Amino acid sequence: MSTRTARSLGPDLVLAGTVAKRAEILVVGLTSGPDGPEIALSEGIVDEDVLAEILDSLIAVGATGKPEQLTRVPAPSALSVTSVLAVGLGSADRLGSEQIRKSAGAAARSLSGIDTVATTLSILDLGAAAEGFALGAYSFTEFKSSMTAPGPDSQPLARVELLVPSPRTKETKATLARSAAIAEAVATAREFVNTPPSHLYPAEFAARAKALGVEAGLTVQVLDEKALEKGGYGGIIGVGKGSSRQPRLVRLEYASKKRGARKVALVGKGITFDTGGISIKPAAGMENMTSDMGGAAAVISTVVLAAKLGLPVNVVAYVPMAENMPSATAQRPGDVLTQYGGITIEVVNTDAEGRLILADAMVRAGEDNPDYMIDTATLTGAQMVALGNRTPGVMGTDEFRDRVASISQSVGENGWAMPLPEELRGDLDSKVADMANVTPHRWGGMLVAAHYLKEFVPEGVQWAHIDVAGPAYNTSGPWGYTGKGGTGVPVRTMISVLEDIAVNG
Ligand code: BES
Ligand code: ZN
Ligand code: MN
């Protein structure tokens, strides 16, 4: 088990009405406009003359307010902080929560080595500022030994004082509590993704998921390889059998106190490492396949978060976990397996393993009679070809797919609805089994994978499938509140969908 505490997952977030003595830096937002940059909405908390002095200094060193631009100037002597950091917000008329989240994140990333800052970004949007600071300050340091230990200058930001006009109202406190819980869940998902495959393998992943779930009051069951074999989980067994580390299926249930609440099933792909199996992947970039449990990480974090927020909706989460390895015991291209529930599959390509473990879990989840089902997975390279690295593909039953995509847009995770063209389904037909796990061609690979999963969605259940192959893991430079490595996508989409279902059914 990791010895990291929840504390190290992000800075302390506290509400404040005035800039306290212990804050070293004041972070303000700077909008750009036709008449030059302006400090966004800080009146009342910072004196107007002081603001004018800060703005003059910022303009003198070339600050324009363009999105995420960082400019640090010495603080006017009237303030107790030593400097002011301005972060660009772009045009004031186009300012939304996601820009505030990104700008707060960019500021937080630049503040390593600092203990405490105060910010006025929270006056614009408390929740977005809190999430942006918390997520931007996240960093994964578990495997930095004392040999190369980062000095005090690279310790992440420890404390953020969020300035608001009325820090003591119930509503303000509730807004911060929700955002802090969301940020912690995203950080938890990132932590799972960032933990290398040497340390996170199915049994260990299941044990950590169980510990988190039990701590949050969930009912947790773990099926080991014997139980999976006995239960007929042919997909999970087939994928897992090339590895010396045995597969698992974890079930985490959150039962809300509300009578008649809707039930949502969440299913997340938990391949702790994907070599491709016998259909082995090329060496270049294979190390990124440590992220192939990003869907599982998000699902575990989301069901735990639902419990912590006490949402009036029932959630049952299924997380199949396996390591996809080539070996003398691995499944072969051409093998036939039987998915949980009885559908037989010709495994033409052992690298299309995600759908095999998800199908078992989705059929099992259907036995809990959910109203809705969301599955999420780092499922296809084709997702990145179609939509790039930051835009999840959302497929499923028409209405729910559009609802999930639209909520994903509103929280800044930017999922995009994609079709399931009917003609692609036939290409999964097999001569020897009920279905093959791949098509003989590479067209529409993301949509083909969704067609495969659709066969395992129970009748009458509203379903959304979120492919996060690119978005779950950032292999390029940091941006906004997203550092390198695990991103925690799509935790914020899924929790917002659960909240929406809790309110609107
Ligand atoms: N885990 C991969 C998909 C992936 C690729 C995730 C790149 C993140 C980055 C998945 O198991 C896979 O290998 N998919 C194959 C499917 C193909 C064999 C039909 C792919 O996309 O190439
Ligand atoms: Zn995979
Ligand atoms: Mn694969």
Side-chain angles (χ1 to χ4, degrees):
M1 285 291 299
S2 163
T3 53
R4 304 191 90 211
T5 61
R7 170 66 194 78
S8 64
L9 289 179
D12 288 338
L13 303 168
V14 295
L15 293 164
T18 53
V19 182
K21 271 254 155 44
R22 71 183 274 188
E24 296 153 69
I25 298 178
L26 177 67
V27 181
V28 300
L30 198 66
T31 56
S32 60
D35 308 322
E38 271 181 66
I39 296 177
L41 265 183
S42 298
E43 303 89 349
I45 291 198
V46 182
D47 186 84
E48 266 186 61
D49 295 344
V50 176
L51 282 178
E53 203 181 325
I54 297 171
L55 185 58
D56 283 347
S57 304
L58 288 168
I59 292 171
V61 295
T64 61
K66 88 166 200 252
E68 288 146 77
Q69 177 190 63
L70 297 169
T71 313
R72 198 156 146 194
V73 292
S77 52
L79 288 178
S80 60
V81 295
T82 52
S83 63
V84 175
L85 174 66
V87 57
L89 293 169
S91 160
D93 358 299
R94 266 176 285 145
L95 186 54
S97 321
E98 178 62 3
Q99 185 58 62
I100 293 163
R101 216 177 273 120
K102 279 191 198 153
S103 295
R109 280 192 290 107
S110 78
L111 290 166
S112 52
I114 305 295
D115 184 75
T116 301
V117 300
T119 185
T120 57
L121 285 171
S122 37
I123 302 170
L124 298 167
D125 185 330
L126 173 60
E131 289 168 23
F133 268 100
L135 296 176
Y138 168 86
S139 78
F140 183 68
T141 53
E142 187 172 348
F143 295 95
K144 291 286 189 188
S145 78
S146 56
M147 308 296 287
T148 58
D153 287 357
S154 46
Q155 289 296 320
L157 177 64
R159 180 180 162 95
V160 183
E161 303 193 334
L162 299 148
L163 297 164
V164 284
S166 37
R168 265 176 281 280
T169 63
K170 215 171 144 188
E171 205 193 327
T172 306
K173 286 181 183 166
T175 301
L176 178 60
R178 175 180 177 274
S179 288
I182 288 175
E184 192 194 355
V186 172
T188 302
R190 289 179 177 185
E191 200 80 352
F192 276 134
V193 172
N194 290 333
T195 303
S198 47
H199 291 69
L200 197 78
Y201 44 92
E204 173 65 15
F205 193 14
R208 291 191 194 191
K210 182 173 178 177
L212 269 183
V214 167
E215 194 194 322
L218 307 180
T219 306
V220 186
Q221 282 145 5
V222 179
L223 299 188
D224 66 9
E225 70 275 15
K226 287 191 208 83
L228 290 168
E229 188 81 62
K230 200 162 158 232
Y233 293 88
I236 302 172
I237 290 291
V239 172
K241 74 188 199 179
S243 175
S244 58
R245 295 140 138 201
Q246 300 298 321
R248 294 288 184 269
L249 175 62
V250 182
R251 177 182 188 276
L252 306 104
E253 180 174 21
Y254 164 59
S256 91
K257 291 200 185 71
K258 193 185 160 203
R259 284 215 276 141
R262 302 260 118 169
K263 186 185 278 182
V264 184
L266 302 178
V267 182
K269 173 181 173 181
I271 295 293
T272 58
F273 194 72
D274 183 13
T275 64
I278 297 295
S279 312
I280 198 163
K281 288 180 182 295
M286 199 199 276
E287 70 281 6
N288 295 330
M289 286 301 112
T290 183
S291 67
D292 214 16
M293 30 58 70
V299 161
I300 294 162
S301 299
T302 302
V303 65
V304 166
L305 177 58
K308 287 189 176 167
L309 295 175
L311 296 188
V313 56
N314 297 316
V315 184
V316 55
Y318 282 89
V319 191
M321 300 169 173
E323 186 177 55
N324 191 21
M325 296 287 278
S327 78
T329 59
Q331 63 178 347
R332 291 153 290 258
D335 277 0
V336 171
L337 59 74
T338 304
Q339 301 267 197
Y340 185 77
I343 294 180
T344 60
I345 302 300
E346 181 189 2
V347 182
V348 172
N349 187 321
T350 65
D351 198 12
E353 84 296 341
R355 60 199 74 181
L356 301 176
I357 68 167
L358 287 169
D360 282 358
M362 288 167 68
V363 175
R364 175 63 187 87
E367 293 176 357
D368 282 312
N369 296 314
D371 300 293
Y372 299 92
M373 183 180 294
I374 304 175
D375 79 83
T376 185
T378 48
L379 202 60
T380 66
Q383 178 277 319
M384 290 143 87
V385 175
L387 295 170
N389 284 326
R390 298 184 187 177
T391 304
V394 185
M395 291 136 278
T397 50
D398 294 353
E399 221 179 302
F400 191 50
R401 170 202 64 208
D402 288 347
R403 185 172 170 190
V404 169
S406 134
I407 289 170
S408 183
Q409 290 281 315
S410 74
V411 300
E413 287 187 335
N414 300 335
W416 197 257
M418 299 296 282
L420 294 183
E422 203 39 61
E423 74 279 7
L424 286 174
R425 170 58 189 88
D427 301 341
L428 281 170
D429 288 347
S430 162
K431 279 217 169 67
V432 299
D434 296 337
M435 200 166 44
N437 75 330
V438 294
T439 57
H441 59 72
R442 60 193 184 84
W443 312 122
M446 170 171 60
L447 318 176
V448 164
H451 260 303
Y452 185 95
L453 296 179
K454 186 178 176 207
E455 296 292 325
F456 303 91
V457 177
E459 200 65 46
V461 173
Q462 300 210 54
W463 167 60
H465 160 61
I466 312 176
D467 193 335
V468 289
Y473 197 64
N474 181 21
T475 55
S476 50
W479 54 285
Y481 50 84
T482 304
K484 264 183 121 45
T487 63
V489 175
V491 168
R492 292 186 303 113
T493 295
M494 290 193 288
I495 200 67
S496 297
V497 170
L498 293 178
E499 288 176 329
D500 190 60
I501 289 171
V503 174
N504 299 310

